[in-house]
Amino acid sequence: MVRGAGWQGFGSALGAPALAMGATFLAFGAAVAEAGLSLPWALLCTGAVYGMAGQLVLLQVAASGGAALPATIAATAANARFLPMAVAIAPLLGRRAPRWLALPFIAITPWAAGMRALPGLSEVARLPWFLGFAVASWCAAMAATAAGHGLAPNLPAKLRAALLFANPLYFALLLAADSARPGVAPALLAGVAAAPLAWWVGGAWGLPAAGLVGGTLAFLWARRH
């Protein structure tokens, strides 16, 4: 059962999720090549950071010749949204399972898929399913990064900019499909209302600030009603 759940999760990722992630990481690989950085740098950034907001911040600092420590702090701040995501999905992975195995793979696409699929699985199958899905997604991201780095001369800047939004758009569609579930619609509306804050704050702290404000508003609304 455990092995079958892992392969089931792996197969579930090899469709629309892999295409959405692939488009975004293809654009990232091309952006790294355009910045004059190597393919090993691109693969290390994708494999270790595995969050597009943090990767773009790290790329911006590295391309401008910034120091390593400020770049690391900035990338960590940009990916701070993964902490509440990990807290939210942890109870669904099973109480007796080694849930720490899932930590390196907490990202938008695996998290969204797990939140939808895990409640319908037996407890023993949940972590294997998530790991299967997450490993497939991670492999797709790595392969797309390498492909984008090699195809950089053939990808116009406007196309790369559009591809970067493929995965966030897929994530938004998943959330919209779940809007009838309790608490989802208020969270979506609060997030939209707080989105301008990300632009106003800017930099590595824009997304965490908008998420903190929007999430707090949604929590307070749910608690009141």
Side-chain angles (χ1 to χ4, degrees):
M1 180 186 297
V2 171
R3 183 179 299 177
W7 282 113
Q8 183 182 4
F10 192 94
S12 298
L14 300 180
L19 290 176
M21 289 193 67
T24 300
F25 283 91
L26 185 77
F28 175 75
V32 171
E34 186 181 28
L37 299 172
S38 66
L39 175 59
W41 190 96
L43 293 175
L44 179 62
C45 188
T46 291
V49 180
Y50 197 44
M52 190 52 61
Q55 289 177 227
L56 292 177
V57 170
L58 195 60
L59 173 60
Q60 183 180 12
V61 176
S64 61
L69 181 59
T72 302
I73 294 174
T76 302
N79 280 351
R81 67 192 187 280
F82 293 151
L83 176 58
M85 292 167 64
V87 172
I89 201 172
L92 300 179
L93 295 173
R95 291 172 295 178
R96 299 181 180 179
R99 293 179 288 190
W100 59 270
L101 291 173
L103 286 177
F105 303 109
I106 299 295
I108 286 179
T109 301
W111 181 85
M115 293 295 289
R116 301 185 78 201
L118 295 180
L121 300 175
S122 63
E123 186 168 338
V124 70
R126 291 179 179 181
L127 181 61
W129 187 97
F130 180 82
L131 291 177
F133 189 102
V135 168
S137 300
W138 187 85
C139 291
M142 294 289 284
T145 298
H149 196 278
L151 294 173
N154 301 316
L155 294 176
K158 291 184 178 180
L159 176 60
R160 293 200 305 269
L163 290 175
L164 281 173
F165 286 95
N167 203 41
L169 177 60
Y170 174 75
F171 178 64
L173 292 175
L174 286 180
L175 291 178
D178 288 343
S179 59
R181 291 170 52 192
V184 175
L188 287 174
L189 295 175
V192 171
L197 185 61
W199 175 84
W200 182 71
V201 175
W205 298 100
L207 281 176
L212 179 62
V213 172
T216 301
L217 291 175
F219 171 79
L220 293 176
W221 187 94
R223 188 172 184 177
R224 180 181 180 87
H225 297 281

